[in-house]
């Protein structure tokens, strides 16, 4: 009986220990790869970004699990942050603190539940690309006058009505409108494109 127990223990150890070692090697490899990515200024973790605030240029949280339900306002204090990629989350509010990100150039919130674009976003004077997913009912007037904003992507079931407001944007060069459900009014979009010169990116 003792021999049987010993043999079983050895067998279990011979199976489990290699699995732990393999898992540890993969974790080490992932850590090394993440560190290599971070050397370029791209961070995949809020926690690691906050430990290296001066180095952060881009933060990408698309693989976050569980999905975020709030915008991580702590990243807005990162002094050199230019790109925020938070698509495929469950965020519903863009905080007014967004205006603190003065070097921000790209904000990606596609595949979220954003209800409103706050006027405070217009104070991000270097913002070039804005990508929003949710149920947007209207654009703030200041957004239409932003000198830096060149590309706008809106994912909402209201885009067939919203696209009329493209005529009021002063500096937009390209736009991307698409619905979560329904059919995009391409005829209207084509007409607006010919009137304004704004190109629709499919």
């Amino acid at each position: 009986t003792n021999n049987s127990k010993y043999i079983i223990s050895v067998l279990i150890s011979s199976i489990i220990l290699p699995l732990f070692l393999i898992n540890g090697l993969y974790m080490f490899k992932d850590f090394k790869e993440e560190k290599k990515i971070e050397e370029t200024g791209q961070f995949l973790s809020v926690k690691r970004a906050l430990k290296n605030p001066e180095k952060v240029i881009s933060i990408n949280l698309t693989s976050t699990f569980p999905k975020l339900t709030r915008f991580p306002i702590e990243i807005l204090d990162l002094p050199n942050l230019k790109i925020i990629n938070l698509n495929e989350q469950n965020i519903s509010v863009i905080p007014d603190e967004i205006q603190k990100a003065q070097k921000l150039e790209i904000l990606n919130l596609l595949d979220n539940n954003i209800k409103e674009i706050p006027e405070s976003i217009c104070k991000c004077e270097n913002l070039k690309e804005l990508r929003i997913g949710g149920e947007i009912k209207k654009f703030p007037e200041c957004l239409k006058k932003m000198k830096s904003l060149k590309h706008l992507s809106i994912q909402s079931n209201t885009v067939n009505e919203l696209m009329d407001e493209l005529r009021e944007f002063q500096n937009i060069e390209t736009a991307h409108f698409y619905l979560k459900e329904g059919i995009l009014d391409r005829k209207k979009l084509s007409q607006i494109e010919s009137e304004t010169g704004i190109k629709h990116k499919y």
Side-chain angles (χ1 to χ4, degrees):
T1 303
N2 288 335
N3 285 341
S4 297
K5 288 180 179 178
Y6 176 75
I7 292 169
I8 291 170
S9 296
V10 171
L11 285 172
I12 291 172
S13 298
S14 66
I15 294 170
I16 292 177
L17 187 58
L19 289 176
F20 273 113
L21 289 172
I22 291 168
N23 186 55
L25 286 171
Y26 275 115
M27 287 179 66
F28 180 69
K29 183 181 178 183
D30 289 344
F31 178 74
K32 284 186 69 177
E33 287 178 356
E34 189 170 341
K35 287 283 287 182
K36 190 174 182 180
I37 291 171
E38 288 175 1
E39 289 173 6
T40 68
Q42 301 178 65
F43 282 73
L44 309 178
S45 158
V46 171
K47 187 176 180 180
R48 290 190 60 78
L50 295 178
K51 287 181 178 179
N52 303 274
E54 299 290 336
K55 294 181 179 180
V56 184
I57 295 172
S58 169
I59 189 156
N60 184 343
L61 303 180
T62 57
S63 60
T64 299
F65 184 84
K67 292 185 177 183
L68 299 174
T69 57
R70 72 168 188 90
F71 193 107
I73 59 174
E74 53 270 34
I75 68 174
L76 299 175
D77 288 317
L78 298 169
N80 299 308
L81 186 62
K82 293 184 178 181
I83 301 170
I84 298 176
N85 192 357
L86 300 174
N87 67 317
E88 297 183 11
Q89 302 299 314
N90 289 321
I91 298 169
S92 58
V93 176
I94 301 173
D96 282 333
E97 287 90 341
I98 192 70
Q99 62 189 290
K100 292 162 68 175
Q102 284 299 301
K103 293 186 179 180
L104 186 63
E105 295 181 3
I106 299 173
L107 176 60
N108 184 357
L109 285 163
L110 289 174
D111 292 303
N112 275 279
N113 304 312
I114 306 299
K115 307 296 181 186
E116 182 181 8
I117 302 174
E119 290 189 4
S120 54
I121 207 167
C122 301
K123 294 183 180 178
C124 297
E125 296 182 354
N126 290 295
L127 188 65
K128 297 176 181 178
E129 296 186 21
L130 179 61
R131 305 173 186 272
I132 303 288
E135 289 301 322
I136 306 300
K137 300 292 191 300
K138 62 179 181 178
F139 296 116
E141 290 301 313
C142 62
L143 195 71
K144 302 171 185 178
K145 301 173 184 176
M146 281 189 73
K147 293 180 179 180
S148 61
L149 191 62
K150 303 301 178 185
H151 177 77
L152 180 68
S153 286
I154 300 294
Q155 171 196 31
S156 173
N157 288 332
T158 61
V159 293
N160 284 330
E161 293 74 39
L162 273 177
M163 66 175 67
D164 286 314
E165 295 189 44
L166 271 181
R167 297 182 175 93
E168 300 170 32
F169 279 81
Q170 297 177 5
N171 299 295
I172 289 287
E173 295 175 359
T174 58
H176 185 188
F177 283 80
Y178 55 104
L179 295 92
K180 295 180 179 179
E181 300 173 354
I183 299 172
L184 187 69
D185 190 339
R186 296 184 184 277
K187 184 177 180 181
K188 181 197 283 191
L189 195 57
S190 179
Q191 182 180 349
I192 293 171
E193 184 176 315
S194 63
E195 290 176 16
T196 63
I198 297 173
K199 301 296 181 183
H200 186 256
K201 296 181 74 173
Y202 291 95

